[in-house]
Amino acid sequence: MPPIVLASTSPYRRELLARLRLPFEVAAPLVDETPVAGERPRVLARRLALAKAGAVARQRPEAIVIGSDQVADLAGEPLGKPGGFAAALEQLERMQGREVVFHTAVAVIHGAMSEVTEVPTAVAFRPLPPARLAAYLAADTPYDCAGSARIESLGIALLRAVRSDDPTALIGLPLIAVVAALERCGVTVPG
């Protein structure tokens, strides 16, 4: 089996890929994640996933390289990682009572094979007062999460509903798509 390399330093993606019980390595992709002017959130997520996988695949051409990216889409506007309390609070206040689509893209590159899959997840946020949002941010510190909510933790309390074809997509790596791509590369996932 060729080596599998996750082109990401995200602890969330690392934990998700580990669920497949396959050996893998981690490599940091050096990619500029700045959106192009007018770029739609779905297109941005796909472009960045492919750019991350491609950056690592050029260094590791023998490997199966997996890259991923997630962009929150608030009425066509991309929302990325807030980086701090003030930006996170502003994002959450804008999302209250609204539906946000999280576009999670995964790219797999192995030799001549290069594919990108995007899994949308529709998330309906509950209307909550700013004090409750601030308390959430202080408790969960989701400043490294697109859209400022950590769904696998306390962020679930901010939501009214979640709709997706893959429950792992919202956490950051759509494992159903990853398993299918690995099988196309000749790797069978145990189980």
Side-chain angles (χ1 to χ4, degrees):
M1 181 174 85
I4 298 170
V5 180
L6 178 61
S8 175
T9 56
S10 164
Y12 312 109
R13 291 190 179 106
R14 186 177 311 143
E15 183 274 327
L16 286 167
L17 189 57
R19 291 182 189 182
L20 300 182
R21 299 184 185 181
L22 294 169
F24 68 94
E25 304 166 37
V26 173
L30 300 176
V31 172
D32 179 3
E33 297 188 32
T34 306
V36 174
E39 190 172 30
R40 303 290 298 170
R42 177 181 183 268
V43 173
L44 175 61
R46 292 175 65 90
R47 177 177 64 80
L48 292 177
L50 188 57
K52 291 174 182 182
V56 173
R58 284 188 288 283
Q59 299 168 4
R60 300 290 306 275
E62 81 290 358
I64 298 170
V65 180
I66 301 167
S68 186
D69 197 78
Q70 182 179 79
V71 179
D73 181 343
L74 179 62
E77 178 189 347
L79 300 177
K81 299 171 187 170
F85 179 86
L89 183 59
E90 189 270 332
Q91 281 187 358
L92 290 177
E93 286 176 339
R94 291 181 57 214
M95 294 186 295
Q96 293 313 291
R98 300 176 72 182
E99 184 171 279
V100 178
V101 177
F102 288 77
H103 298 280
T104 307
V106 61
V108 177
I109 298 176
H110 179 56
M113 184 199 103
S114 175
E115 62 181 64
V116 182
T117 304
E118 180 261 333
V119 179
T121 302
V123 176
F125 281 81
R126 295 170 51 206
L128 297 169
R132 178 103 179 256
L133 299 176
Y136 162 71
L137 291 173
D140 215 19
T141 62
Y143 309 131
D144 61 344
C145 298
S148 305
R150 190 172 289 137
I151 188 74
E152 66 278 14
S153 186
L154 292 174
I156 198 76
L158 304 177
L159 310 181
R160 185 174 40 80
V162 176
R163 293 185 317 278
S164 181
D165 290 336
D166 186 334
T168 59
L170 190 54
I171 302 170
L173 186 64
L175 290 181
I176 293 172
V178 170
V179 168
L182 288 173
E183 289 181 351
R184 285 190 286 280
C185 294
V187 176
T188 302
V189 176

